[in-house]
Amino acid sequence: MKLIRATDYQDMSRKAANIISAQIIMKPNAVIGLATGSTPLGLYAQLIDWYRKGDIDFSQVTTVNLDEYRGLPRTHDQSYWYFMHKNLFDHINIKPENVHVPNGMASAETAGAEYDALIEQAGGIDLQLLGIGSDGHIGFNEPGSAFELGTHCVDLTEKTISDNARFFASIDEVPKQAYTMGIKSIMQARKVLMVVNGVNKAEIVRQAFFGPVTPEVPASILQMHPDFTLIGDAEALSHI
Ligand code: PGA
């Protein structure tokens, strides 16, 4: 594991954007795994800025997102498809056909296998970007998730449903399930890059990367990845 210490959120975002940018310069047709959440927003804004300045070209890049709510159409403003377009894809020259997010409207029987096949056909993931949940989740792989799963359907925890209720008209409208790449899918990426900021993540960073590897802390498996980079701001790294 490579640990990169950033001073603050902006520094973390720039350093992570530099690594993604370098990947695309080294391999213009790279397959990049992307994540939603608040943590990557700064690095997406940085990538858009460099694209506008002519420093990055996304025309041959393929992206595969980690997860999507089951039952939400792409047009729903809480879908991850919508999030990614609003915060990145609508502002860069990526080809629409090269953008992939699990299909929330697909059937649970086929959605996972189809997404795994798509990743394989694209040649596998060159660089997977991740955030981390304060319970150690990566994607929607919550504590206790099996390490050997590919993309699959998960039941959201009560905590996640209540946390997300603020984005919906009522708690009843919050999806109860999601499709997520599994830990196996993430571990198969050739490089993994995690961004983390804020003091509320400090304890989980210590447990995940300086404690035992255990399904109770899903991100801890990344200690076993041969090319894993963690970029944290000073607050997130304050317990190590
Ligand atoms: P956050 O979410 O970036 O909004 O903190 C991270 C995650 O749950 O993976």
Side-chain angles (χ1 to χ4, degrees):
M1 169 176 130
K2 186 175 290 175
L3 177 64
I4 299 181
R5 290 177 181 274
T7 49
D8 55 18
Y9 181 72
Q10 198 188 354
D11 188 35
M12 177 206 79
S13 300
R14 278 180 71 88
K15 283 178 160 65
N18 262 304
I19 290 173
I20 294 173
S21 172
Q23 172 69 64
I24 294 170
I25 291 167
M26 297 292 283
K27 185 177 178 187
N29 63 346
V31 177
I32 311 283
L34 294 176
T36 52
S38 52
T39 315
L41 285 172
L43 81 89
Y44 292 156
Q46 181 65 76
L47 290 173
I48 292 167
D49 185 45
W50 285 336
Y51 164 70
R52 288 188 177 142
K53 290 179 172 148
D55 290 338
I56 318 179
D57 174 17
F58 293 89
S59 63
Q60 297 177 62
V61 169
T62 293
T63 62
V64 286
N65 258 78
L66 276 173
D67 47 15
E68 179 61 282
Y69 288 117
R70 183 177 179 206
L72 286 197
R74 290 172 167 180
T75 49
H76 194 288
D77 66 4
Q78 292 304 320
S79 76
Y80 288 170
W81 172 273
Y82 190 98
F83 176 101
M84 288 307 303
H85 283 76
K86 182 168 141 229
N87 293 300
L88 181 64
F89 301 145
D90 285 350
H91 311 285
I92 59 175
N93 67 333
I94 193 157
K95 293 198 177 94
E97 63 269 29
N98 289 350
V99 161
H100 306 288
V101 179
N103 179 1
M105 302 306 282
S107 96
E109 286 74 47
T110 55
E114 280 172 14
Y115 204 63
D116 288 339
L118 181 152
I119 294 170
E120 200 179 321
Q121 275 159 24
I125 299 169
D126 291 299
L127 187 159
Q128 176 66 52
L129 175 68
L130 296 176
I132 184 171
S134 50
D135 61 357
H137 70 227
I138 47 178
F140 268 122
N141 297 284
E142 297 285 356
S145 300
F147 281 157
E148 67 273 13
L149 289 177
T151 305
H152 61 290
C153 183
V154 291
D155 293 330
L156 302 184
T157 60
E158 294 282 325
K159 168 120 185 31
T160 301
I161 292 168
S162 65
D163 280 357
N164 293 354
R166 67 187 191 280
F167 300 118
F168 293 83
S170 78
I171 195 159
D172 297 335
E173 288 184 26
V174 184
K176 307 291 181 289
Q177 293 183 310
Y179 295 124
T180 185
M181 278 188 206
I183 303 282
K184 183 174 144 199
S185 327
I186 293 168
M187 288 298 282
Q188 283 175 341
R190 287 183 271 279
K191 286 177 191 291
V192 177
L193 173 65
M194 178 179 280
V195 282
V196 58
N197 74 292
V199 72
N200 62 328
K201 299 280 176 73
E203 186 50 27
I204 196 65
V205 165
R206 189 188 64 75
Q207 282 178 35
F209 306 117
F210 298 87
V213 175
T214 163
E216 292 315 310
V217 184
S220 66
I221 189 69
L222 295 167
Q223 293 182 39
M224 316 288 283
H225 193 283
D227 191 347
F228 170 54
T229 301
L230 173 67
I231 307 183
D233 74 346
E235 287 188 3
L237 302 182
S238 61
H239 287 198
I240 58 171

